[in-house]
Amino acid sequence: MISSIFIYNSTFFEQSPTWSPQALTGRIENVDDYDAACSGYSVGRILREQKRILASVRSELVESQAKIEEIRAVQEELQRLIPQKQLELSALEGEIEAAQRQLEELREIQNVRVFLPYSPLQISSSGTTHLPQSSSLNFDSVIDYSLCSITSFMPVYVEKITNGAAETEWSAVFRKVAPHLTEESDSACIKIRITSGVLPTESVSNEILFNIGESFENDLKSIVVQSSHLRSFDFALQVNRTTEKREPVPLLPLNRENLIGLVIGSNHKMLNLSSLEESFKPATHNRIIQKCYQEKTECGPEITRRIYASSTFCFILESDDFLDNFMTSLEVGCVPVVLSNTQPLPFQGLIDWRRATFRLPIARLPEAHFIVRSFENSDILEMRRMGRVYYDSYFADQDTIARSLLAALRHKLLIPTKETRSSLRNQAKPLFNSTFTPPKGTVVNVQPNFDDEYLLGPLESRVESNSFAYNFSEFQLYSYDTWNTIFSPHRSKEFIINSAEFPAGSEFYEDTRIGFRPIEPGSGVEFSKALGGNRQREQFTVVLLTYERDTVLVGALERLHQLPYLNKVVVVWNNIHREPPESWPSLHVPVEFIRVTENSLNNRFVPWDRIETEAVLSLDDDIDLMQQEIVLAFRVWRENRDRIVGFPARYHARYGDAMYYNSNHTCQMSMILTGAAFIHKNYLSAYTYHMPAVVREHVDSIKNCEDIAMNFLVSHLTRKPPIKTTSRWTLKCPTCTESLFKEDSHFDKRHECIRMFTKIYGYNPLRFSQFRADSILFKTRLPQNHQKCFKYV
């Protein structure tokens, strides 16, 4: 066959002086000669078919190789995703376990029987209004408890006044400040009658006789409020003294012109002062003794005020003017030394006057000089400070006196005020017409950070802090703190900052384990699975203040996605001149926008009713924190609930004759910037309703210093410094084109704030701290089978 081909194509070789195998193959492929001896097909066709098959096989091999490479890439991706999916599975298992635990807790809670209380007993009485023996009367015998059910919220009736300017003024005050005012005297728990020293001919049950005139003796079945002639259940108050708004007397310097100031009235003219005078002879201290019973001796309220203002200690004798003198000493910062063990003091039994005064029997007057000289300087300043705090909190003006009296009655009657979250004074207004949440939500593309060895915590369902749970225990268990630490007894508390903790081991008993998330034995992995600590589980609310930085706000919201223990994000929209975009990031928790009427930095610290947790994380919209930093700070705050816990720290320092705000790196700090700090919600209420209004007004006027004001307030109430966590000293926003701290006058304003707030408080309450809080295993060398609590902090 081959020979025939060559013979048949002999002309091919003659015409092709140069040839190659490829050329020969190409020629052979063109031969279409039919050969029945072989397959019946020509050699050319066979070669062409073989070549096609070869190309097809090669193509399939290339495709197979590509598929193998693709499969290998998928395999590598799956291998890479296995640890991530294991973490996701672990997180899901944790969520399932948390949901099952929460379901069990809800079932147990739902089994609690809830019912309305019965009405109080109506104790029968003789029905007389004048009892022959007033000493037999007590608080319970002059109160008809059947009118004062614990569910009545203590309705107050104020008798209408038709004549007398002072009586009318006080009547208007009580009507203004009463939490639950009623116009029906028959159904009122408390009936307030105002008199100007006139003894009524009769009294009715549950009557408070508020005497703004001369004190009188009485045997009425009424509770009398006056300055003297008091029975055990009456209230000692000086209600007819002039209360002018004056600048607080500075706490410092310690020493004044006189060590002791003493004003003696005519009822003590026989008092032997020779021994007191004798005790001063070997000492170098000055004293001033004003004998008002002597002729040509100047006396009166202003003289007494000047004497007390120039004295470190004020010796006060029992007299008709005792309460007036006592209040004056508190106001001017003179430590009262009460020369009587029996003289009633205002709201005695509620206010701990031992923190601001010193009692001595008058028989120890000769020894008084030695006693007061033995006091430590820090004790004198603290007594001076507490006296001023008590005065400002309970006696500063008519409104304050009326509120304090009603609060004292409420505490004695054990009646909570009518408070629910929906009835709070700070009702938030939704930004999007009738809803707080944006009409449109965008998916957050930010993936959870799986660079860590384990997750930061479980993503449990939202849980609110238990509110108004201390409506009755606040009257006794927490009464001391209410009157003497936070100075706010006027309304029932949504939360109590330092409420009692369970003893160790409670989380393992059937009747006390509800809400606990104990940490299993181990290190980092076990730590990350539960909140642990000494309290039941809780979450926190982020409050974000924003103004004219929508893009920056979007980034801030996205960084909060999948953050453990987050309950809600509340955005305070300070852009009052424009409406917001409709679309915002959709997180794993609600994001609520609040409409405000004023672009104010004070809006950051309004205790909005939308905040349903005790813990509040105050954030600026330009703050970029790692989630593990936030979780660490939250865990630290849970153990230090009465303090500000945060990140960037600052301090105050004295240069020359003035105090300055300082942001340089230092080894001690006294402030935490509230653009990134955990704060208890109760401090938001204190800032908005109890802090001096002039501070908030100054913040509004200069658009600065709200963080300094909050640090002043918390340190003033607790006498503790804030707590710094992690190594962050600044939190800069590289994408922000505008910030308040970039203004040239920023530091000048803050220097002035330090000085002005010091004048308002009468002293600088800021406290220094020389440590920061990091996680326990931070920078600790660990065995290979252990993990750190957090990877970076």
Side-chain angles (χ1 to χ4, degrees):
M1 180 67 184
I2 297 297
S3 59
S4 63
I5 292 175
F6 278 103
I7 295 170
Y8 185 83
N9 293 291
S10 59
T11 56
F12 167 78
F13 296 100
E14 296 174 355
Q15 297 173 0
S16 304
T18 59
W19 60 276
S20 64
Q22 292 81 5
L24 176 61
T25 302
R27 292 288 184 177
I28 294 174
E29 287 178 5
N30 293 327
V31 176
D32 292 328
D33 186 24
Y34 177 78
D35 189 351
C38 294
S39 60
Y41 294 98
S42 66
V43 174
R45 182 171 180 176
I46 292 173
L47 288 176
R48 288 195 301 272
E49 183 64 18
Q50 293 294 329
K51 189 174 182 180
R52 185 188 65 80
I53 293 172
L54 180 61
S56 176
V57 170
R58 285 177 175 171
S59 176
E60 289 179 1
L61 286 174
V62 171
E63 290 179 3
S64 298
Q65 185 65 30
K67 288 182 179 179
I68 290 172
E69 294 295 331
E70 184 179 344
I71 291 171
R72 185 178 289 114
V74 171
Q75 182 184 12
E76 291 176 356
E77 179 66 16
L78 290 175
Q79 289 289 345
R80 189 182 66 82
L81 288 176
I82 285 175
Q84 176 177 325
K85 296 303 178 182
Q86 287 176 336
L87 288 173
E88 291 180 355
L89 177 61
S90 176
L92 288 174
E93 289 174 345
E95 290 183 32
I96 293 172
E97 181 183 354
Q100 290 174 341
R101 190 185 297 115
Q102 188 176 11
L103 180 60
E104 293 176 6
E105 293 172 354
L106 288 173
R107 285 172 178 165
E108 294 186 29
I109 293 173
Q110 287 173 356
N111 290 331
V112 177
R113 295 177 61 198
V114 179
F115 50 86
L116 290 174
Y118 293 104
S119 299
L121 295 175
Q122 185 170 4
I123 307 299
S124 60
S125 62
S126 61
T128 58
T129 57
H130 291 269
L131 299 183
Q133 295 181 349
S134 62
S135 60
S136 65
L137 292 175
N138 55 46
F139 187 85
D140 289 343
S141 64
V142 298
I143 291 292
D144 181 358
Y145 282 90
S146 66
L147 297 173
C148 298
S149 165
I150 60 174
T151 59
S152 69
F153 308 113
M154 201 179 84
V156 175
Y157 172 79
V158 182
E159 186 181 53
K160 293 182 172 62
I161 304 296
T162 57
N163 56 0
E167 293 92 329
T168 304
E169 185 178 4
W170 274 107
S171 175
V173 168
F174 276 106
R175 296 179 70 85
K176 178 176 68 174
V177 304
H180 187 23
L181 186 68
T182 181
E183 300 297 339
E184 302 293 332
S185 62
D186 293 339
S187 60
C189 170
I190 294 297
K191 307 172 181 67
I192 295 178
R193 177 189 293 185
I194 300 170
T195 180
S196 295
V198 178
L199 183 65
T201 57
E202 61 179 13
S203 61
V204 297
S205 59
N206 298 30
E207 183 179 66
I208 309 299
L209 200 58
F210 193 81
N211 183 15
I212 62 175
E214 294 292 327
S215 298
F216 49 69
E217 294 184 7
N218 74 96
D219 57 0
L220 294 172
K221 193 180 177 182
S222 299
I223 297 173
V224 180
V225 180
Q226 58 184 6
S227 59
S228 59
H229 304 299
L230 300 165
R231 299 164 294 179
S232 61
F233 55 88
D234 290 333
F235 285 93
L237 280 177
Q238 184 68 30
V239 298
N240 56 0
R241 69 189 302 267
T242 303
T243 54
E244 298 179 13
K245 283 290 184 181
R246 306 176 192 248
E247 188 173 292
V249 177
L251 195 66
L252 296 170
L254 166 67
N255 293 320
R256 296 182 175 181
E257 181 182 350
N258 303 298
L259 176 67
I260 293 173
L262 173 60
V263 177
I264 305 175
S266 57
N267 52 338
H268 289 285
K269 62 183 179 180
M270 302 304 295
L271 185 65
N272 186 359
L273 298 175
S274 58
S275 55
L276 178 64
E277 297 277 6
E278 192 70 22
S279 66
F280 269 93
K281 287 183 179 179
T284 59
H285 302 98
N286 294 331
R287 79 281 187 194
I288 179 170
I289 301 175
Q290 194 81 350
K291 300 175 182 178
C292 293
Y293 55 85
Q294 293 181 344
E295 293 184 9
K296 298 183 180 179
T297 301
E298 289 188 85
C299 286
E302 284 302 318
I303 300 297
T304 301
R305 182 183 179 85
R306 285 203 299 270
I307 292 173
Y308 287 177
S310 65
S311 304
T312 303
F313 293 95
C314 296
F315 285 16
I316 308 177
L317 299 161
E318 279 191 276
S319 66
D320 291 341
D321 297 327
F322 171 83
L323 283 183
D324 196 17
N325 294 339
F326 182 76
M327 288 298 159
T328 300
S329 68
L330 297 178
E331 184 182 7
V332 300
C334 181
V335 177
V337 177
V338 179
L339 297 172
S340 169
N341 280 332
T342 58
Q343 170 66 46
L345 298 178
F347 304 128
Q348 193 167 284
L350 295 171
I351 295 177
D352 185 3
W353 286 112
R354 295 172 301 176
R355 300 182 64 183
T357 67
F358 193 80
R359 276 187 182 269
L360 281 175
I362 196 169
R364 293 201 180 277
L365 184 60
E367 302 169 306
H369 180 215
F370 174 82
I371 292 173
V372 297
R373 278 191 302 154
S374 70
F375 286 5
E376 281 287 335
N377 290 344
S378 58
D379 292 342
I380 298 172
L381 290 174
E382 179 61 11
M383 295 174 75
R384 184 183 292 176
R385 185 188 78 88
M386 285 302 301
R388 181 70 202 197
V389 172
Y390 284 142
Y391 179 83
D392 289 338
S393 300
Y394 304 122
F395 313 105
D397 52 40
Q398 291 180 329
D399 286 10
T400 306
I401 292 172
R403 280 198 200 93
S404 302
L405 175 61
L406 294 176
L409 289 167
R410 188 174 68 84
H411 276 243
K412 283 182 173 292
L413 293 169
L414 309 179
I415 300 178
T417 55
K418 188 176 183 180
E419 302 284 355
T420 61
R421 186 165 284 137
S422 60
S423 68
L424 294 176
R425 290 173 287 183
N426 26 266
Q427 294 287 312
K429 294 182 179 179
L431 185 60
F432 303 98
N433 295 324
S434 60
T435 179
F436 290 94
T437 55
K440 299 178 182 178
T442 59
V443 177
V444 178
N445 295 321
V446 178
Q447 296 296 323
N449 183 11
F450 293 103
D451 292 337
D452 290 344
E453 302 171 48
Y454 34 83
L455 300 179
L456 293 173
L459 293 177
E460 295 186 328
S461 58
R462 294 177 59 241
V463 57
E464 302 174 4
S465 296
N466 196 12
S467 61
F468 299 105
Y470 311 99
N471 285 346
F472 297 99
S473 57
E474 72 162 321
F475 297 133
Q476 296 180 17
L477 179 60
Y478 301 109
S479 177
Y480 185 91
D481 285 344
T482 300
W483 284 86
N484 300 281
T485 301
I486 62 175
F487 315 105
S488 179
H490 311 103
R491 289 180 175 271
S492 296
K493 299 290 177 291
E494 184 179 8
F495 307 113
I496 286 183
I497 295 179
N498 286 323
S499 57
E501 295 180 352
F502 285 84
S506 299
E507 61 269 34
F508 304 111
Y509 287 82
E510 190 69 23
D511 54 349
T512 54
R513 65 181 176 85
I514 294 178
F516 278 101
R517 299 293 185 267
I519 297 174
E520 297 178 0
S523 52
V525 172
E526 292 76 17
F527 173 77
S528 67
K529 291 180 179 179
L531 193 55
N534 304 310
R535 293 182 178 271
Q536 295 160 309
R537 69 163 180 153
E538 60 183 328
Q539 297 172 348
F540 61 89
T541 302
V542 167
V543 176
L544 261 168
L545 188 71
T546 185
Y547 180 74
E548 294 297 356
R549 293 192 294 205
D550 294 3
T551 304
V552 174
L553 175 60
V554 168
L557 292 174
E558 289 179 343
R559 287 190 291 272
L560 298 174
H561 188 49
Q562 302 295 320
L563 174 61
Y565 313 119
L566 178 60
N567 179 271
K568 180 190 294 185
V569 180
V570 173
V571 179
V572 182
W573 187 259
N574 260 9
N575 305 289
I576 59 174
H577 59 282
R578 66 179 177 91
E579 293 297 312
E582 292 188 350
S583 180
W584 292 93
S586 180
L587 308 186
H588 67 294
V589 296
V591 179
E592 298 185 349
F593 285 72
I594 291 178
R595 183 184 298 276
V596 295
T597 58
E598 183 181 1
N599 174 22
S600 171
L601 292 175
N602 291 319
N603 292 336
R604 178 198 303 278
F605 298 133
V606 174
W608 304 108
D609 62 320
R610 307 302 298 181
I611 301 173
E612 300 168 328
T613 60
E614 294 186 58
V616 176
L617 175 56
S618 173
L619 280 181
D620 283 340
D621 55 9
D622 58 352
I623 297 300
D624 185 2
L625 290 169
M626 293 188 297
Q627 289 195 357
Q628 59 181 289
E629 291 179 296
I630 296 176
V631 173
L632 168 64
F634 177 53
R635 289 179 180 269
V636 172
W637 176 89
R638 294 187 73 232
E639 300 177 25
N640 301 272
R641 312 169 75 83
D642 59 340
R643 299 163 81 170
I644 300 175
V645 176
F647 300 93
R650 301 293 183 262
Y651 66 104
H652 64 286
R654 191 178 183 90
Y655 297 98
D657 296 331
M659 196 69 71
Y660 289 85
Y661 169 87
N662 203 313
S663 63
N664 294 326
H665 291 81
T666 180
C667 293
Q668 70 173 5
M669 60 91 182
S670 59
M671 291 174 280
I672 290 291
L673 299 186
T674 55
F678 278 96
I679 308 171
H680 197 284
K681 187 182 178 183
N682 281 18
Y683 289 135
L684 306 188
S685 298
Y687 184 99
T688 304
Y689 298 113
H690 303 300
M691 186 179 69
V694 65
V695 175
R696 295 189 298 275
E697 292 167 2
H698 185 68
V699 169
D700 280 336
S701 66
I702 65 170
K703 293 288 190 292
N704 205 323
C705 295
E706 84 286 358
D707 49 356
I708 298 177
M710 177 59 82
N711 278 272
F712 262 69
L713 173 65
V714 176
S715 294
H716 169 67
L717 294 175
T718 64
R719 306 306 295 127
K720 296 177 183 179
I723 295 178
K724 173 176 172 52
T725 61
T726 78
S727 60
R728 293 224 186 207
W729 195 259
T730 58
L731 293 169
K732 294 182 178 179
C733 175
T735 61
C736 300
T737 57
E738 294 183 4
S739 293
L740 291 177
F741 76 89
K742 294 181 180 180
E743 297 179 1
D744 295 337
S745 61
H746 175 72
F747 283 96
D748 291 335
K749 291 178 180 178
R750 295 174 81 78
H751 299 326
E752 184 56 34
C753 284
I754 294 282
R755 300 161 194 159
M756 179 180 180
F757 296 166
T758 299
K759 289 182 180 179
I760 293 172
Y761 281 90
Y763 75 113
N764 186 340
L766 297 177
R767 308 283 292 223
F768 285 114
S769 177
Q770 298 177 354
F771 74 93
R772 80 173 191 223
D774 293 307
S775 59
I776 291 178
L777 297 180
F778 181 63
K779 291 191 174 181
T780 300
R781 287 189 174 184
L782 299 176
Q784 289 186 352
N785 62 335
H786 288 72
Q787 311 84 29
K788 290 184 179 292
C789 312
F790 298 92
K791 188 172 183 179
Y792 300 110
V793 294

